[in-house]
């Protein structure tokens, strides 16, 4: 996982649908081509946030456990704003 990012968002303490709402608002404030790193946790955010951002036309660069975390812990999602 590469580390380039322009913005950071931690939604590990949030629940759906607030996880997606916060991610969507963060991406909307970005310029096209910028990268947002989102820290998230839990099955529902791991499924819904990447899927929803992709449906809006943005590019998922990678998604995986945060350094030192297990598969069930905090994950890091990198998304690039398109358009």
């Amino acid at each position: 996982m590469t580390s380039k990012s322009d913005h950071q968002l931690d939604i590990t303490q949030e629940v759906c649908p607030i996880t997606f709402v916060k991610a969507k608002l963060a991406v909307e404030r970005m310029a096209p081509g910028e990268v947002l790193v989102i820290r998230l946790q839990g099955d529902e955010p791991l499924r819904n946030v990447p899927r929803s951002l992709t449906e809006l036309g943005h590019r998922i660069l990678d998604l995986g456990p945060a350094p030192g975390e297990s598969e069930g812990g905090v994950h890091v999602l990198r998304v690039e704003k398109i358009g």
Side-chain angles (χ1 to χ4, degrees), residues 42-75:
D43 290 336
E44 204 169 355
L46 281 170
R47 280 191 314 271
N48 295 335
V49 173
R51 177 183 48 83
S52 298
L53 290 173
T54 299
E55 288 173 359
L56 290 174
H58 305 298
R59 180 179 300 131
I60 302 304
L61 301 175
D62 45 51
L63 172 63
E69 293 281 338
S70 67
E71 280 295 322
V74 174
H75 281 65

Side-chain angles (χ1 to χ4, degrees), residues 1-77:
M1 184 181 302
T2 60
S3 59
K4 180 202 179 285
S5 68
D6 299 296
H7 305 275
Q8 305 269 327
L9 177 66
D10 186 336
I11 53 173
T12 55
Q13 301 301 310
E14 307 295 340
V15 294
C16 285
I18 297 302
T19 52
F20 170 65
V21 171
K22 287 191 172 189
K24 180 178 183 250
L25 290 173
V27 171
E28 286 176 353
R29 290 189 295 266
M30 295 168 35
E34 289 186 327
V35 175
L36 173 65
V37 172
I38 305 171
R39 291 176 50 84
L40 58 152
Q41 185 171 352
D43 290 336
E44 204 169 355
L46 281 170
R47 280 191 314 271
N48 295 335
V49 173
R51 177 183 48 83
S52 298
L53 290 173
T54 299
E55 288 173 359
L56 290 174
H58 305 298
R59 180 179 300 131
I60 302 304
L61 301 175
D62 45 51
L63 172 63
E69 293 281 338
S70 67
E71 280 295 322
V74 174
H75 281 65
V76 176
L77 168 67

